[in-house]
Amino acid sequence: MKTDVVVIGGGVTGTAIARELARYHLNIILLEKEDDVAMGASKANSGIIHAGYNADQTTLKGQLNIEANPMFDQLCRKLNVPFQRIGSLVVGFDQADLKVLIQEEIKGQQAGIKNLKILAREQLRAMEPNLNQQARFALYAPSAGIISSYEFTISLANSAVLNGVKVLLETEVNGLMIEAGKIRGVETNRGKIAATIVINAAGLYSDKIAQQAGDQIKITPRKGEYHLLDKNWGDLVNHVIFPIPTKHSKGILVTPTVHGNLLIGPNSSLSTARENLAVSSTGLKEVYDGAKKLLPGLSRKDVIASFSGLRATAEGDDFIIGPSANCVGLINVAGIQSPGLTSAPAIAKSVTDLVKDTLSRINPGLTLTYRDDFIEELPKKLIFTEYLAQNDLEKWQEIIDDHPEYGEIICRCEKISKGEIISAINDPVPAQSIDAVKRRTRTGAGRCQGGFCEPRLLAIMSEELGLSPLAITKKGAGSAILKARTKDWLREQKNYTGGGEQQ
Ligand SMILES: Cc1cc2nc3c(=O)[nH]c(=O)nc-3n(C[C@H](O)[C@H](O)[C@H](O)COP(=O)(O)OP(=O)(O)OC[C@H]3O[C@@H](n4cnc5c(N)ncnc54)[C@H](O)[C@@H]3O)c2cc1C
């Protein structure tokens, strides 16, 4: 296979880059080692679109955060991704905290962020009545927002595919093809792909890829753990609430999610393993205690899920975006820790400029031209809860009359119909596992966490994909839900006499 550009990694960085590059006459292939996009940090984070006052403007992450924040309203409208600009509050309790808040406000104003404001106790209480009554000040940043990071990433990928990008899932890059200091392509578990440009957006593994070209990048994983609370807690706060930041993170925050849950976390601890997403009781206690300082009324009884994400921190604590020092045609996009989700649209633009530069160096005289058929907007999906929220049930009935599968509710907690599930299975980047359907539709994301709907979802997937139920997985290879047909299993047991002998 031969292509112009290979993008390694289907996180928010890789998918945003692939979509942006698809505006030009280029053949693009995106490679993702897992069975879906958004399987790394882009699946498990706070989902905050940061205002940007917090990040140092001499760093790339500071600059790209500020550039990208205003892009989200329009981009999310085009991609049909829920995004709410609810604003954030950094809460202070004493004079020392106030000093920090004033410094942040000045830093933000110097960076050009508008409408930052220090609030006094009464204003704060009016905006957040459930906040700790001891809170005395807050820095208010109205431009901060919330998003579902995996829905955003999946939509970027779907849009890229709609515009001609090939997304190859379960395709792991395990080597770079380099000749005479130039990239020639990548070696994967499914064979070689020749390419003129390779973009390394491999998240936690971006150092491993870069090191193959001799680039000295080192990534250290830093874990952040979370509790997600049921929807009856979603209106406990109206804004993203941060404590005073620590050296390594913005601290344990409390935020409503775009789907009406309450999210608390993350803590921050060094991790040695890049695949270890286990949560710990000590870590989760730290998260709960931290959030409780901000909201004393919080209770753990309605926690419906606990999870963790791994930050890909690079030495120097900044994004590393640029051409490889040793290999023409390789572009590293590494160390994309927070605010990487916020910065993704700006990172994509900056990498597109690097691709243009690199191509013109490889082939002087070559200029990239725009495609005039780029499709900006993703087709709108039929979502029952949207019609329900607008009380437009007559219209939904018309949809059911034409497509009866939209009349069968499969997930009762989140009110997801069979039609929505079938549509997700047939996405441009198709949902191939139970979790992939969950990320696209919210089937199993509610209070029962799939306890009731998962068997029905499994049956629908089996039917729609034409696969045995035994082949349906939770999240790709090695995670089959069913072990054997009961009859076969019983037959095996009867024949089993112990000691490995068959009768
Ligand atoms: C706890 C936590 C909280 C955060 N909160 C926020 C926040 O509120 N706001 C914000 O702006 N940012 C936040 N971030 C940062 C943000 O989540 C990341 O910056 C962003 O998701 C990084 O995206 P990425 O695409 O670079 O990496 P990833 O999402 O990790 O994607 C990399 C992809 O590459 C794939 N891959 C790796 N190696 C290979 C290979 N060899 N071949 C093929 N594929 C490969 C992986 O499977 C993965 O899918 C947070 C991060 C964490 C961990």
Side-chain angles (χ1 to χ4, degrees):
M1 210 187 289
K2 164 99 181 130
T3 191
D4 297 321
V5 183
V6 158
V7 180
I8 310 173
V12 70
T13 307
T15 55
I17 292 170
R19 179 179 186 270
E20 194 58 34
L21 286 174
R23 295 180 184 281
Y24 298 87
H25 287 285
L26 284 170
N27 289 317
I28 303 155
I29 298 180
L30 183 143
L31 306 175
E32 169 52 55
K33 70 180 170 68
E34 303 296 333
D35 79 318
D36 195 8
V37 295
M39 292 295 278
S42 305
K43 177 180 67 169
N45 56 54
S46 310
I48 311 299
I49 300 309
H50 291 290
Y53 53 82
N54 188 273
D56 182 347
Q57 283 309 295
T58 61
T59 62
L60 262 182
K61 59 180 187 180
Q63 293 158 11
L64 292 167
N65 182 155
I66 298 233
E67 187 184 329
N69 174 295
M71 298 178 182
F72 273 82
D73 309 80
Q74 203 188 34
L75 184 56
C76 290
R77 254 195 314 274
K78 287 178 182 170
L79 296 176
N80 303 320
V81 175
F83 166 63
Q84 295 165 19
R85 218 176 259 289
I86 58 173
S88 66
L89 294 163
V90 187
V91 173
F93 289 82
D94 55 28
Q95 289 298 324
D97 290 351
L98 178 61
K99 229 167 126 183
V100 177
L101 298 181
I102 292 171
Q103 280 162 4
E104 300 278 287
E105 184 190 27
I106 294 171
K107 223 163 69 176
Q109 283 165 343
Q110 283 168 350
I113 301 171
K114 296 203 177 72
N115 302 325
L116 288 174
K117 209 159 55 177
I118 304 266
L119 306 180
R121 191 194 295 239
E122 291 67 35
Q123 286 167 294
L124 188 54
R125 199 154 298 159
M127 285 165 78
E128 291 293 353
N130 296 315
L131 199 64
N132 187 335
Q133 302 287 304
Q134 305 300 316
R136 289 172 60 194
F137 323 97
L139 174 62
Y140 176 45
S143 60
I146 52 173
I147 196 169
S148 155
S149 63
Y150 48 84
E151 285 175 53
F152 181 54
T153 305
I154 291 166
S155 295
L156 286 166
N158 280 337
S159 172
V161 171
L162 210 64
N163 284 295
V165 174
K166 268 201 194 103
V167 172
L168 303 183
L169 301 174
E170 295 177 305
T171 307
E172 179 166 2
V173 172
N174 34 44
L176 296 178
M177 288 148 53
I178 301 173
E179 265 172 42
K182 283 192 184 144
I183 200 83
R184 294 289 179 222
V186 293
E187 288 170 10
T188 79
N189 56 333
R190 294 172 188 267
K192 294 181 179 175
I193 303 173
T196 313
I197 304 246
V198 172
I199 297 169
N200 166 20
L204 285 170
Y205 293 89
S206 51
D207 57 344
K208 303 282 178 212
I209 303 276
Q211 284 161 16
Q212 289 178 35
D215 293 335
Q216 298 308 308
I217 294 176
K218 187 167 179 292
I219 298 292
T220 308
R222 193 169 262 286
K223 189 179 278 189
E225 293 161 284
Y226 293 92
H227 275 316
L228 182 73
L229 279 81
D230 192 21
K231 285 186 173 169
N232 50 13
W233 287 88
D235 49 14
L236 192 67
V237 292
N238 304 310
H239 305 81
V240 182
I241 313 282
F242 292 104
I244 297 290
T246 67
K247 186 168 178 283
H248 288 297
S249 84
K250 297 176 188 74
I252 292 164
L253 61 86
V254 180
T255 180
T257 70
V258 282
H259 294 293
N261 295 82
L262 188 79
L263 182 69
I264 64 174
N267 57 351
S268 179
S269 60
L270 277 180
S271 170
T272 44
R274 296 175 199 232
E275 299 290 338
N276 180 1
L277 286 171
V279 288
S280 64
S281 53
T282 43
L284 290 175
K285 182 173 182 317
E286 186 189 348
V287 165
Y288 180 67
D289 291 349
K292 191 114 174 133
K293 273 188 210 147
L294 296 170
L295 290 157
L298 203 64
S299 155
R300 230 183 314 212
K301 78 176 168 52
D302 279 325
V303 168
I304 59 168
S306 304
F307 62 93
S308 78
L310 289 168
R311 306 168 179 92
T313 49
E315 276 169 347
D317 217 25
D318 197 5
F319 297 164
I320 300 172
I321 302 175
S324 154
N326 300 292
C327 174
V328 176
L330 174 66
I331 296 171
N332 292 313
V333 192
I336 309 298
Q337 55 166 312
S338 188
L341 167 64
T342 310
S343 308
I347 293 177
K349 288 199 182 298
S350 133
V351 172
T352 301
D353 289 342
L354 287 171
V355 169
K356 287 183 198 165
D357 282 359
T358 312
L359 280 176
S360 64
R361 268 204 292 150
I362 293 172
N363 188 352
L366 182 116
T367 43
L368 270 187
T369 51
Y370 267 117
R371 284 173 42 180
D372 50 18
D373 56 349
F374 183 82
I375 306 162
E376 289 283 348
E377 291 182 16
L378 274 180
K380 188 105 185 71
K381 290 210 166 206
L382 297 173
I383 299 174
F384 175 51
T385 48
E386 286 180 5
Y387 286 76
L388 196 59
Q390 289 158 17
N391 209 5
D392 201 356
L393 293 181
E394 271 176 32
K395 182 84 197 134
W396 190 256
Q397 185 56 53
E398 283 171 26
I399 292 167
I400 296 174
D401 292 344
D402 289 343
H403 306 283
E405 64 276 16
Y406 283 91
E408 196 180 333
I409 294 296
I410 303 298
C411 171
R412 275 181 275 164
C413 301
E414 295 292 311
K415 302 182 183 63
I416 313 296
S417 67
K418 183 177 177 182
E420 288 160 78
I421 292 170
I422 291 174
S423 163
I425 295 171
N426 294 294
D427 257 359
V429 178
Q432 307 182 123
S433 64
I434 296 279
D435 282 358
V437 173
K438 179 177 176 177
R439 283 189 291 276
R440 282 162 181 74
T441 61
R442 298 190 55 73
T443 307
R447 179 147 191 124
C448 88
Q449 288 288 295
F452 288 101
C453 60
E454 197 169 293
R456 298 186 71 195
L457 171 58
L458 192 140
I460 295 168
M461 292 192 75
S462 158
E463 190 184 313
E464 190 64 21
L465 294 169
L467 292 171
S468 151
L470 299 178
I472 304 300
T473 65
K474 180 164 165 54
K475 50 177 183 178
S479 63
I481 307 257
L482 302 174
K483 199 169 153 40
R485 286 178 190 281
T486 312
K487 276 184 192 161
D488 297 340
W489 184 77
L490 284 173
R491 205 173 298 127
E492 251 176 48
Q493 299 304 302
K494 270 189 208 147
N495 291 341
Y496 183 66
T497 57
E501 284 173 28
Q502 299 282 318
Q503 283 187 338

